[in-house]
Amino acid sequence: MESSHKLFPAVAILLLLVVATEVVPAQARECETESERFNGLCFVSENCAGVCGAEGFTGGKCSGLKRRCMCTKEC
């Protein structure tokens, strides 16, 4: 009887982990690639996103110290 009391917390935690992984949907990863067509420093992400859209990406944002336009899409 004593061993079942020690086993219960471990089983309860395992059950919670299984339920939590089933409830939370998998999030899509976002991949970034530097734009090939954007010229100059990137300060306005909306401009970057427009250029990236023309390159076939789903979005874009200004990034880094060098202010590069990084195009984004789901991996």
Side-chain angles (χ1 to χ4, degrees), residues 34-66:
E34 187 175 351
S35 173
E36 293 181 4
R37 296 183 186 167
F38 192 90
N39 292 321
L41 296 175
C42 183
F43 292 107
V44 181
S45 290
E46 288 81 15
N47 294 343
C48 174
V51 172
C52 289
E55 292 182 37
F57 291 90
T58 57
K61 59 186 175 183
C62 300
S63 181
L65 293 174
K66 295 184 178 181

Side-chain angles (χ1 to χ4, degrees), residues 3 5 8-9 12 17-18 24 26-28 31-33 35-38 47-48 52 54 59 65 68:
S3 64
H5 289 288
F8 179 74
L17 286 173
V18 169
V24 177
Q27 295 179 351
C31 292
E32 291 185 355
T33 305
S35 173
E36 293 181 4
R37 296 183 186 167
F38 192 90
N47 294 343
C48 174
C52 289
L65 293 174
R68 292 192 172 136

